[in-house]
Amino acid sequence: MRSLKIKERNSNSLLLTRSRQSELIGILLATFLIGSIFYSVFGQDLSNVDFINSIVAKVKEQPLLQVVLLLPLVVVKKFRDVLKVFTKGDCYSFNVESKSITHNGNALVGFDDIKEVQIRVFKSDDFDSYNLSLITINNKSILLEEHNDLSVTKDLASNIADFIGVSVRIEN
């Protein structure tokens, strides 16, 4: 999913939203990419009557092609998540008056229940990724964002932490 952005910040509320349009563009590009991979590996027209039989024969010859067959399942889940964001939006609201945090209008947690804002770093050879979470006083982690840009993640974390009055911790 695309990055959360600060839509509004004033003394009473902090509103974080995710762009609906960029989500739709992302899923369309991902679907096209996986479809292209699928077509290039199997080289079949989906309307071909013997399509299933030819795929089964190729998978019997090369069992690792089963991985390619699982790719559409990933897209289906991603498409469902993106469709949900596209239709309902994705919004986190931090309200000073009620001292509460909501996600898409549903109560998530109270300010008093938040111990800290955490950035968890996942290092790899290709690229690093960062999870932005709220950590409750019961050590429950509430994931808000997965990102691959540390500066964007730090900026968002510091805005949230400053607004609710907690610290930011970076965990490697």
Side-chain angles (χ1 to χ4, degrees), residues 113-169:
D113 296 323
I114 301 300
K115 177 170 66 172
E116 66 187 2
V117 176
Q118 179 188 73
I119 298 173
R120 191 153 184 222
V121 180
F122 296 95
K123 297 217 177 258
S124 74
D125 293 338
D126 297 329
F127 63 91
D128 297 341
S129 63
Y130 310 95
N131 283 0
L132 175 62
S133 302
L134 301 173
I135 305 299
T136 68
I137 55 177
N138 299 327
N139 290 322
K140 179 183 172 194
S141 178
I142 301 170
L143 180 65
L144 300 179
E145 176 84 314
E146 296 173 359
H147 210 282
N148 61 359
D149 186 334
L150 182 58
S151 64
V152 171
T153 306
K154 279 183 174 179
D155 183 50
L156 191 55
S158 65
N159 269 288
I160 293 169
D162 179 55
F163 192 80
I164 61 178
V166 297
S167 61
V168 175
R169 180 170 56 97

Side-chain angles (χ1 to χ4, degrees), residues 8-59:
E8 177 184 327
R9 181 175 179 172
N10 58 46
S11 60
N12 295 321
S13 69
L14 171 65
L15 190 62
L16 309 175
T17 60
R18 205 176 309 274
S19 168
R20 292 179 177 189
Q21 291 81 9
S22 62
E23 288 300 309
L24 183 62
I25 291 167
I27 191 59
L28 291 174
L29 289 174
T31 303
F32 176 76
L33 178 66
I34 289 180
S36 297
I37 291 170
F38 194 79
Y39 183 77
S40 68
V41 168
F42 293 108
Q44 297 288 320
D45 182 0
L46 296 177
S47 63
N48 186 348
V49 175
D50 293 325
F51 173 70
I52 301 282
N53 293 335
S54 65
I55 288 179
V56 170
K58 284 186 181 187
V59 168

